[in-house]
Amino acid sequence: MVKGPVWNFVQHLIEMTIAMFVGMLVLDIPVGALFDALGWSVLNDATVPMTLVMATNMSIGMAIWMRIRGCGWPAIFEMSLAMYIPFVAMYPFYWAGLVGEMTVMIVGHSLMVPAMAVAMLFRLDEYTGAHRHRKAAEAPADKELASQTES
């Protein structure tokens, strides 16, 4: 099997992509049903809230898997932010009437993985190192945070 820093980076990106789609698929129906039951159907129907809810569902799935794999909260926050940025970047074009809902959806989803890769470049040590499960070791970012709060 191929091993090394580049493979670790690619493996992490693949795992996070799978986890975000699992989060979307698992949470989309119950969250949509909850919003409909509460009378908040606009969150399911209007483009901007719908894409923000979808990005949140994706972030939840990804965050859970990142935590299991031993990632710290700063990395999880950055990776979650990468779920929102592509959609948010499309909103001005949507509001100006230059693109439609389908374009927002296609471009937003298409740019998520590149946005994740960019976020990963800021923490190369974390994403190119060997993957470990949360139980195996405390994430380095958590240790750093703990030492800062003790001071």
Side-chain angles (χ1 to χ4, degrees), residues 52-66:
L52 291 173
V53 168
M54 188 179 307
T56 301
N57 292 341
M58 291 176 162
S59 296
I60 290 169
M62 190 176 55
I64 290 169
W65 187 247
M66 288 181 76

Side-chain angles (χ1 to χ4, degrees), residues 22-33 53 56-58 60-61 64:
V22 168
M24 180 178 66
L25 292 171
V26 168
L27 295 173
D28 186 52
I29 291 173
V31 168
V53 168
T56 301
N57 292 341
M58 291 176 162
I60 290 169
I64 290 169

Side-chain angles (χ1 to χ4, degrees), residues 40-62:
W40 302 347
S41 59
V42 69
L43 295 175
N44 296 327
D45 302 332
T47 300
V48 173
M50 176 183 60
T51 55
L52 291 173
V53 168
M54 188 179 307
T56 301
N57 292 341
M58 291 176 162
S59 296
I60 290 169
M62 190 176 55

Side-chain angles (χ1 to χ4, degrees), residues 24-151:
M24 180 178 66
L25 292 171
V26 168
L27 295 173
D28 186 52
I29 291 173
V31 168
L34 174 65
F35 291 157
D36 283 341
L38 294 172
W40 302 347
S41 59
V42 69
L43 295 175
N44 296 327
D45 302 332
T47 300
V48 173
M50 176 183 60
T51 55
L52 291 173
V53 168
M54 188 179 307
T56 301
N57 292 341
M58 291 176 162
S59 296
I60 290 169
M62 190 176 55
I64 290 169
W65 187 247
M66 288 181 76
R67 240 4 226 174
I68 289 169
R69 294 299 269 163
C71 293
W73 289 114
I76 292 170
F77 173 77
E78 293 161 1
M79 197 66 85
S80 296
L81 192 58
M83 299 295 94
Y84 296 92
I85 290 173
F87 286 125
V88 171
M90 292 302 297
Y91 294 157
F93 300 104
Y94 176 72
W95 290 326
L98 300 173
V99 299
E101 177 181 333
M102 187 57 70
T103 302
V104 172
M105 295 293 283
I106 291 170
V107 172
H109 282 97
S110 298
L111 293 180
M112 279 183 176
V113 174
M116 290 165 56
V118 169
M120 291 170 66
L121 292 174
F122 290 100
R123 295 184 180 276
L124 275 177
D125 289 346
E126 187 162 349
Y127 296 117
T128 58
H131 294 277
R132 64 204 182 307
H133 286 281
R134 187 102 196 98
K135 293 177 184 177
E138 185 178 355
D142 290 345
K143 288 180 184 176
E144 182 182 321
L145 183 63
S147 69
Q148 289 174 355
T149 34
E150 290 175 2
S151 339

